[in-house]
Amino acid sequence: MPTIVVDVMPKAELLDPQGKATTGALERLGHGKFENVRIGKRFELTVQGEVTEDVLAEVRKMADEILSNSVIEDVVAISVDGTAVEAR
Amino acid sequence: MPTIVVDVMPKAELLDPQGKATTGALERLGHGKFENVRIGKRFELTVQGEVTEDVLAEVRKMADEILSNSVIEDVVAISVDGTAVEAR
């Protein structure tokens, strides 16, 4: 069954406290060259049957309306079996 | 500055309650063809300077030891500026 991956990140203009804390921790642990850590979500879902254009449209709608909160998050990528079908 | 993405997912053999709940919600909302939702984390970090082999080695170590909990999670992919450098 095809695997669809939806990547969701906090909007760039919003503070990401989890990421900020991780940036600070990395610095304290000697990894100071890494900056601006931001932490988002990665959804993996399998789909029954083939991934047609209709299925992709459904995934896009689901990603925007159910899997992400558009007030604070952006859907940054959607891929099917490792091939990007959408990157914003 | 180069952007590094580290993808972390709950181990396949472990239950993912968050993903299970999402699978159930999708079904109730009429998206029953999507199954086995699993939810992991996506870390985006920027790095000062070039991404050399040494930097990549540091990222791999960081991903395994700091960004993920190897008891319950796997690092499934590391990419630099959109190019996968590691997939497991």
Side-chain angles (χ1 to χ4, degrees), chain A residues 45-46 48 58 62 66-67, chain B residues 18-37:
Chain A
L45 25 124
T46 55
Q48 287 173 8
E58 192 175 341
M62 248 167 53
I66 304 175
L67 301 179
Chain B
Q18 211 184 170
K20 266 247 161 339
T22 306
T23 310
L26 288 181
E27 200 183 332
R28 282 193 304 279
L29 292 166
H31 300 290
K33 68 164 80 65
F34 300 98
E35 294 175 339
N36 300 322
V37 182

Side-chain angles (χ1 to χ4, degrees), chain B residues 2-20:
Chain B
T3 299
I4 295 173
V5 174
V6 177
D7 288 313
V8 174
M9 294 299 293
K11 279 186 191 289
E13 59 271 28
L14 293 186
L15 212 64
D16 171 16
Q18 211 184 170
K20 266 247 161 339

Side-chain angles (χ1 to χ4, degrees), chain A residues 1-51:
Chain A
M1 284 202 297
T3 299
I4 295 173
V5 174
V6 177
D7 288 313
V8 173
M9 293 298 294
K11 278 185 192 291
E13 60 271 26
L14 292 185
L15 212 64
D16 172 16
Q18 209 183 173
K20 267 248 160 343
T22 307
T23 310
L26 288 181
E27 199 181 335
R28 282 194 305 280
L29 293 165
H31 300 291
K33 68 163 81 62
F34 300 98
E35 295 175 339
N36 299 323
V37 182
R38 297 185 73 79
I39 306 180
K41 284 179 222 159
R42 176 189 162 101
F43 296 86
E44 282 186 10
L45 25 124
T46 55
V47 59
Q48 287 173 8
E50 254 182 282
V51 181

Side-chain angles (χ1 to χ4, degrees), chain B residues 1-5 42-47 51 79-82:
Chain B
M1 286 201 295
T3 299
I4 295 173
V5 174
R42 175 188 162 100
F43 296 85
E44 282 187 10
L45 24 124
T46 54
V47 59
V51 181
S79 66
V80 178
D81 285 339

